[in-house]
mmCIF file of all heavy atoms in Angstrom:
data_model
loop_
_atom_site.group_PDB
_atom_site.id
_atom_site.type_symbol
_atom_site.label_atom_id
_atom_site.label_comp_id
_atom_site.label_asym_id
_atom_site.label_seq_id
_atom_site.Cartn_x
_atom_site.Cartn_y
_atom_site.Cartn_z
ATOM 1 N N GLY A 1 1.941 -14.106 28.714
ATOM 2 C CA GLY A 1 2.847 -13.046 28.752
ATOM 3 C C GLY A 1 3.638 -12.923 27.562
ATOM 4 O O GLY A 1 4.928 -12.633 27.637
ATOM 5 N N VAL A 2 3.052 -13.014 26.385
ATOM 6 C CA VAL A 2 3.896 -12.921 25.157
ATOM 7 C C VAL A 2 4.229 -11.461 24.906
ATOM 8 O O VAL A 2 3.401 -10.618 25.018
ATOM 9 C CB VAL A 2 2.972 -13.372 23.886
ATOM 10 C CG1 VAL A 2 3.742 -13.296 22.616
ATOM 11 C CG2 VAL A 2 2.504 -14.880 24.165
ATOM 12 N N PRO A 3 5.518 -11.233 24.649
ATOM 13 C CA PRO A 3 5.878 -9.824 24.483
ATOM 14 C C PRO A 3 5.256 -9.228 23.275
ATOM 15 O O PRO A 3 5.048 -10.018 22.227
ATOM 16 C CB PRO A 3 7.496 -9.994 24.231
ATOM 17 C CG PRO A 3 7.825 -11.264 24.834
ATOM 18 C CD PRO A 3 6.654 -12.158 24.754
ATOM 19 N N GLY A 4 4.884 -7.876 23.325
ATOM 20 C CA GLY A 4 4.123 -7.349 22.121
ATOM 21 C C GLY A 4 4.989 -7.381 20.961
ATOM 22 O O GLY A 4 4.369 -7.580 19.842
ATOM 23 N N ARG A 5 6.259 -7.141 20.976
ATOM 24 C CA ARG A 5 6.985 -7.081 19.732
ATOM 25 C C ARG A 5 7.028 -8.500 19.037
ATOM 26 O O ARG A 5 6.898 -8.521 17.805
ATOM 27 C CB ARG A 5 8.461 -6.503 19.972
ATOM 28 C CG ARG A 5 8.508 -5.205 20.588
ATOM 29 C CD ARG A 5 9.937 -4.871 21.063
ATOM 30 N NE ARG A 5 10.012 -3.572 21.729
ATOM 31 C CZ ARG A 5 11.096 -3.069 22.301
ATOM 32 N NH1 ARG A 5 12.249 -3.779 22.242
ATOM 33 N NH2 ARG A 5 11.073 -1.917 22.860
ATOM 34 N N VAL A 6 7.239 -9.478 19.912
ATOM 35 C CA VAL A 6 7.204 -10.837 19.275
ATOM 36 C C VAL A 6 5.912 -11.206 18.611
ATOM 37 O O VAL A 6 5.769 -11.735 17.555
ATOM 38 C CB VAL A 6 7.702 -11.947 20.397
ATOM 39 C CG1 VAL A 6 7.532 -13.339 19.781
ATOM 40 C CG2 VAL A 6 8.983 -11.661 20.885
ATOM 41 N N GLU A 7 4.799 -10.815 19.321
ATOM 42 C CA GLU A 7 3.526 -11.160 18.850
ATOM 43 C C GLU A 7 3.219 -10.386 17.531
ATOM 44 O O GLU A 7 2.675 -11.117 16.529
ATOM 45 C CB GLU A 7 2.396 -10.793 19.899
ATOM 46 C CG GLU A 7 1.039 -10.974 19.396
ATOM 47 C CD GLU A 7 -0.033 -11.190 20.567
ATOM 48 O OE1 GLU A 7 0.456 -11.226 21.665
ATOM 49 O OE2 GLU A 7 -1.158 -11.381 20.199
ATOM 50 N N LEU A 8 3.523 -9.172 17.350
ATOM 51 C CA LEU A 8 3.279 -8.396 16.249
ATOM 52 C C LEU A 8 4.048 -8.846 15.089
ATOM 53 O O LEU A 8 3.611 -8.982 13.906
ATOM 54 C CB LEU A 8 3.443 -6.880 16.539
ATOM 55 C CG LEU A 8 2.527 -6.181 17.454
ATOM 56 C CD1 LEU A 8 2.714 -4.798 17.631
ATOM 57 C CD2 LEU A 8 1.048 -6.270 16.798
ATOM 58 N N ARG A 9 5.335 -9.165 15.304
ATOM 59 C CA ARG A 9 6.198 -9.711 14.195
ATOM 60 C C ARG A 9 5.706 -11.055 13.691
ATOM 61 O O ARG A 9 5.640 -11.326 12.462
ATOM 62 C CB ARG A 9 7.626 -9.916 14.722
ATOM 63 C CG ARG A 9 8.435 -8.589 14.778
ATOM 64 C CD ARG A 9 9.823 -8.736 14.774
ATOM 65 N NE ARG A 9 10.338 -9.712 15.892
ATOM 66 C CZ ARG A 9 10.751 -9.269 17.048
ATOM 67 N NH1 ARG A 9 10.803 -7.987 17.358
ATOM 68 N NH2 ARG A 9 11.216 -10.146 17.980
ATOM 69 N N ALA A 10 5.130 -11.873 14.726
ATOM 70 C CA ALA A 10 4.698 -13.163 14.283
ATOM 71 C C ALA A 10 3.458 -12.994 13.467
ATOM 72 O O ALA A 10 3.169 -13.678 12.426
ATOM 73 C CB ALA A 10 4.465 -13.997 15.431
ATOM 74 N N ARG A 11 2.574 -12.135 13.868
ATOM 75 C CA ARG A 11 1.313 -11.868 13.154
ATOM 76 C C ARG A 11 1.682 -11.374 11.731
ATOM 77 O O ARG A 11 0.912 -11.685 10.722
ATOM 78 C CB ARG A 11 0.441 -10.925 13.945
ATOM 79 C CG ARG A 11 -0.194 -11.556 15.173
ATOM 80 C CD ARG A 11 -0.953 -10.515 15.964
ATOM 81 N NE ARG A 11 -1.632 -11.127 17.128
ATOM 82 C CZ ARG A 11 -2.885 -11.606 17.223
ATOM 83 N NH1 ARG A 11 -3.660 -11.622 16.150
ATOM 84 N NH2 ARG A 11 -3.305 -12.176 18.294
ATOM 85 N N MET A 12 2.512 -10.389 11.645
ATOM 86 C CA MET A 12 2.888 -9.797 10.304
ATOM 87 C C MET A 12 3.437 -11.008 9.461
ATOM 88 O O MET A 12 3.122 -11.086 8.268
ATOM 89 C CB MET A 12 3.944 -8.804 10.489
ATOM 90 C CG MET A 12 3.472 -7.471 11.085
ATOM 91 S SD MET A 12 4.883 -6.364 11.221
ATOM 92 C CE MET A 12 4.045 -4.867 12.040
ATOM 93 N N THR A 13 4.384 -11.693 10.037
ATOM 94 C CA THR A 13 4.862 -12.917 9.163
ATOM 95 C C THR A 13 3.878 -13.905 8.769
ATOM 96 O O THR A 13 3.848 -14.193 7.437
ATOM 97 C CB THR A 13 5.891 -13.616 10.115
ATOM 98 O OG1 THR A 13 6.928 -12.741 10.526
ATOM 99 C CG2 THR A 13 6.661 -14.688 9.301
ATOM 100 N N ALA A 14 2.933 -14.195 9.522
ATOM 101 C CA ALA A 14 1.956 -15.207 9.152
ATOM 102 C C ALA A 14 1.045 -14.673 8.099
ATOM 103 O O ALA A 14 0.669 -15.342 7.052
ATOM 104 C CB ALA A 14 1.134 -15.643 10.309
ATOM 105 N N PHE A 15 0.594 -13.494 8.243
ATOM 106 C CA PHE A 15 -0.214 -12.801 7.309
ATOM 107 C C PHE A 15 0.519 -12.633 5.941
ATOM 108 O O PHE A 15 -0.014 -12.840 4.810
ATOM 109 C CB PHE A 15 -0.587 -11.439 7.794
ATOM 110 C CG PHE A 15 -1.636 -10.661 6.939
ATOM 111 C CD1 PHE A 15 -2.852 -11.147 6.566
ATOM 112 C CD2 PHE A 15 -1.286 -9.466 6.305
ATOM 113 C CE1 PHE A 15 -3.694 -10.445 5.752
ATOM 114 C CE2 PHE A 15 -2.146 -8.658 5.499
ATOM 115 C CZ PHE A 15 -3.283 -9.217 5.203
ATOM 116 N N SER A 16 1.732 -12.326 5.962
ATOM 117 C CA SER A 16 2.549 -12.122 4.716
ATOM 118 C C SER A 16 2.841 -13.352 3.975
ATOM 119 O O SER A 16 3.058 -13.299 2.770
ATOM 120 C CB SER A 16 3.914 -11.453 5.142
ATOM 121 O OG SER A 16 3.673 -10.240 5.701
ATOM 122 N N LEU A 17 2.648 -14.529 4.659
ATOM 123 C CA LEU A 17 2.866 -15.839 3.949
ATOM 124 C C LEU A 17 1.875 -16.005 2.887
ATOM 125 O O LEU A 17 2.073 -16.630 1.867
ATOM 126 C CB LEU A 17 2.804 -16.957 4.971
ATOM 127 C CG LEU A 17 3.994 -17.165 5.941
ATOM 128 C CD1 LEU A 17 3.704 -18.266 7.019
ATOM 129 C CD2 LEU A 17 5.258 -17.319 5.294
ATOM 130 N N TYR A 18 0.682 -15.396 3.067
ATOM 131 C CA TYR A 18 -0.450 -15.419 2.130
ATOM 132 C C TYR A 18 -0.561 -14.281 1.224
ATOM 133 O O TYR A 18 -0.810 -14.441 0.017
ATOM 134 C CB TYR A 18 -1.797 -15.719 2.836
ATOM 135 C CG TYR A 18 -1.839 -16.949 3.575
ATOM 136 C CD1 TYR A 18 -1.756 -16.920 4.931
ATOM 137 C CD2 TYR A 18 -1.979 -18.221 2.987
ATOM 138 C CE1 TYR A 18 -1.850 -18.082 5.690
ATOM 139 C CE2 TYR A 18 -2.131 -19.387 3.729
ATOM 140 C CZ TYR A 18 -1.990 -19.264 5.094
ATOM 141 O OH TYR A 18 -2.091 -20.442 5.837
ATOM 142 N N VAL A 19 -0.117 -13.131 1.759
ATOM 143 C CA VAL A 19 -0.287 -11.976 0.955
ATOM 144 C C VAL A 19 0.905 -11.594 -0.063
ATOM 145 O O VAL A 19 0.631 -11.146 -1.153
ATOM 146 C CB VAL A 19 -0.457 -10.651 1.907
ATOM 147 C CG1 VAL A 19 -0.566 -9.390 1.159
ATOM 148 C CG2 VAL A 19 -1.777 -10.813 2.723
ATOM 149 N N LEU A 20 2.023 -11.880 0.442
ATOM 150 C CA LEU A 20 3.212 -11.552 -0.525
ATOM 151 C C LEU A 20 3.113 -12.274 -1.822
ATOM 152 O O LEU A 20 3.420 -11.793 -2.903
ATOM 153 C CB LEU A 20 4.557 -11.824 0.267
ATOM 154 C CG LEU A 20 4.872 -10.803 1.380
ATOM 155 C CD1 LEU A 20 6.285 -11.251 1.986
ATOM 156 C CD2 LEU A 20 4.957 -9.382 0.723
ATOM 157 N N PRO A 21 2.824 -13.593 -1.782
ATOM 158 C CA PRO A 21 2.670 -14.247 -3.154
ATOM 159 C C PRO A 21 1.650 -13.625 -3.968
ATOM 160 O O PRO A 21 1.842 -13.541 -5.251
ATOM 161 C CB PRO A 21 2.340 -15.765 -2.782
ATOM 162 C CG PRO A 21 2.913 -15.955 -1.403
ATOM 163 C CD PRO A 21 2.697 -14.653 -0.736
ATOM 164 N N MET A 22 0.524 -13.136 -3.431
ATOM 165 C CA MET A 22 -0.523 -12.548 -4.203
ATOM 166 C C MET A 22 0.002 -11.220 -4.665
ATOM 167 O O MET A 22 -0.303 -10.866 -5.886
ATOM 168 C CB MET A 22 -1.735 -12.232 -3.326
ATOM 169 C CG MET A 22 -2.487 -13.621 -3.027
ATOM 170 S SD MET A 22 -4.140 -13.299 -2.315
ATOM 171 C CE MET A 22 -3.696 -12.623 -0.776
ATOM 172 N N LEU A 23 0.771 -10.437 -3.907
ATOM 173 C CA LEU A 23 1.241 -9.235 -4.373
ATOM 174 C C LEU A 23 2.336 -9.441 -5.474
ATOM 175 O O LEU A 23 2.370 -8.591 -6.441
ATOM 176 C CB LEU A 23 1.910 -8.392 -3.271
ATOM 177 C CG LEU A 23 1.032 -7.933 -2.099
ATOM 178 C CD1 LEU A 23 1.729 -7.250 -1.110
ATOM 179 C CD2 LEU A 23 -0.127 -7.169 -2.653
ATOM 180 N N ALA A 24 3.100 -10.450 -5.428
ATOM 181 C CA ALA A 24 4.025 -10.791 -6.424
ATOM 182 C C ALA A 24 3.378 -11.065 -7.754
ATOM 183 O O ALA A 24 3.818 -10.686 -8.903
ATOM 184 C CB ALA A 24 4.942 -11.920 -5.898
ATOM 185 N N PHE A 25 2.232 -11.770 -7.667
ATOM 186 C CA PHE A 25 1.520 -12.172 -8.853
ATOM 187 C C PHE A 25 0.879 -10.947 -9.502
ATOM 188 O O PHE A 25 0.959 -10.821 -10.682
ATOM 189 C CB PHE A 25 0.362 -13.239 -8.431
ATOM 190 C CG PHE A 25 -0.482 -13.544 -9.521
ATOM 191 C CD1 PHE A 25 -0.134 -14.507 -10.376
ATOM 192 C CD2 PHE A 25 -1.841 -13.015 -9.714
ATOM 193 C CE1 PHE A 25 -0.943 -14.880 -11.480
ATOM 194 C CE2 PHE A 25 -2.671 -13.388 -10.704
ATOM 195 C CZ PHE A 25 -2.248 -14.297 -11.621
ATOM 196 N N VAL A 26 0.380 -10.032 -8.708
ATOM 197 C CA VAL A 26 -0.080 -8.748 -9.240
ATOM 198 C C VAL A 26 1.010 -8.032 -9.893
ATOM 199 O O VAL A 26 0.755 -7.395 -10.939
ATOM 200 C CB VAL A 26 -0.731 -7.827 -8.033
ATOM 201 C CG1 VAL A 26 -1.099 -6.546 -8.584
ATOM 202 C CG2 VAL A 26 -1.974 -8.503 -7.511
ATOM 203 N N ALA A 27 2.152 -7.893 -9.295
ATOM 204 C CA ALA A 27 3.263 -7.164 -10.019
ATOM 205 C C ALA A 27 3.695 -7.773 -11.361
ATOM 206 O O ALA A 27 3.842 -7.029 -12.289
ATOM 207 C CB ALA A 27 4.496 -7.159 -8.988
ATOM 208 N N VAL A 28 3.681 -9.099 -11.468
ATOM 209 C CA VAL A 28 4.065 -9.792 -12.660
ATOM 210 C C VAL A 28 3.031 -9.572 -13.698
ATOM 211 O O VAL A 28 3.256 -9.294 -14.823
ATOM 212 C CB VAL A 28 4.417 -11.207 -12.399
ATOM 213 C CG1 VAL A 28 4.698 -11.898 -13.764
ATOM 214 C CG2 VAL A 28 5.696 -11.376 -11.444
ATOM 215 N N VAL A 29 1.771 -9.844 -13.300
ATOM 216 C CA VAL A 29 0.632 -9.766 -14.256
ATOM 217 C C VAL A 29 0.550 -8.422 -14.849
ATOM 218 O O VAL A 29 0.333 -8.162 -16.068
ATOM 219 C CB VAL A 29 -0.646 -10.180 -13.576
ATOM 220 C CG1 VAL A 29 -1.853 -9.886 -14.482
ATOM 221 C CG2 VAL A 29 -0.557 -11.703 -13.369
ATOM 222 N N LEU A 30 0.627 -7.337 -13.972
ATOM 223 C CA LEU A 30 0.422 -6.026 -14.474
ATOM 224 C C LEU A 30 1.523 -5.622 -15.426
ATOM 225 O O LEU A 30 1.277 -4.999 -16.476
ATOM 226 C CB LEU A 30 0.414 -5.069 -13.275
ATOM 227 C CG LEU A 30 0.251 -3.543 -13.690
ATOM 228 C CD1 LEU A 30 -1.142 -3.325 -14.406
ATOM 229 C CD2 LEU A 30 0.243 -2.618 -12.457
#
């Protein structure tokens, strides 16, 4: 019975742990 808002926020956070550093690298390199 995991609330939908909690689940989606958790999934966004976990995914962003890997993606945000890559996006920061792209911004600096470009």
Side-chain angles (χ1 to χ4, degrees):
V2 179
R5 299 173 186 176
V6 175
E7 176 156 0
L8 290 178
R9 287 201 301 268
R11 289 176 179 267
M12 290 180 183
T13 303
F15 182 64
S16 300
L17 292 176
Y18 298 103
V19 175
L20 287 181
M22 290 191 290
L23 297 183
F25 179 78
V26 171
V28 173
V29 168
L30 180 61

